[in-house]
Amino acid sequence: MSSDTPSDLLFVYGTLMRGFDHPMARLLSAHADFVAEASCRGRLYRIQHYPGLVLSDDAADVVHGELFRLHQPEPMLREFDMYEACGEGFAQPTEYLRRRLNVTLADGSAREAWTYVYNWPVDEAARIASGRFLAP
């Protein structure tokens, strides 16, 4: 998939996952279909009451989350950009950046999906070694 092709897939790893009682998680579940549990290469940090994903080249660094297919990608991504404070009009550098990355599904297949990557220093943040924000 080329970077100019819009993706309707969104990988979430924190407060937007199923089972989280949050207005934005409810919005996602109402406007998207759950595809599968998935993972990506990265490190997960506890920022406050929410996590931050930092990309990594180390194959041992894995973040677990969920993959959703958005019914209306453009308006929904704008909505989530506002929630993550990384849309137009937010002071730079924003806390998160929306990026496309490869995610691996439980069956081993790969997809390219949007996700929100943490963009501020994590020196003071606690790493979530399991890569899971919500304990199974």
Side-chain angles (χ1 to χ4, degrees):
M1 178 182 290
S2 66
S3 59
D4 58 351
T5 304
S7 175
D8 61 353
L9 297 175
L10 178 66
F11 174 73
V12 298
Y13 54 85
T15 57
L16 296 177
M17 290 194 299
R18 298 172 303 154
F20 229 84
D21 186 28
H22 186 281
M24 293 305 284
R26 290 193 295 273
L27 180 72
L28 178 60
S29 67
H31 295 279
D33 297 319
F34 173 74
V35 175
E37 291 187 6
S39 61
C40 71
R41 192 169 289 177
R43 294 180 177 166
L44 200 59
Y45 292 88
R46 181 173 298 281
I47 306 305
Q48 290 176 28
H49 59 280
Y50 56 89
L53 163 68
V54 175
L55 298 180
S56 170
D57 290 328
D58 187 336
D61 293 336
V62 178
V63 172
H64 301 275
E66 298 174 341
L67 190 64
F68 286 86
R69 184 174 307 283
L70 301 171
H71 298 161
Q72 296 179 304
E74 289 189 29
M76 291 309 301
L77 289 170
R78 277 196 303 272
E79 195 73 33
F80 292 119
D81 286 353
M82 294 300 288
Y83 171 62
E84 302 291 1
C86 69
E88 288 183 25
F90 288 97
Q92 299 294 323
T94 56
E95 186 175 15
Y96 287 89
L97 299 172
R98 178 162 46 96
R99 294 286 181 256
R100 287 165 63 152
L101 74 162
N102 290 318
V103 297
T104 304
L105 282 57
D107 67 5
S109 64
R111 301 282 189 284
E112 188 174 69
W114 290 110
T115 197
Y116 290 91
V117 176
Y118 195 69
N119 191 39
W120 288 353
V122 292
D123 306 340
E124 304 295 317
R127 181 157 178 209
I128 303 171
S130 69
R132 294 180 189 277
F133 183 61
L134 296 178

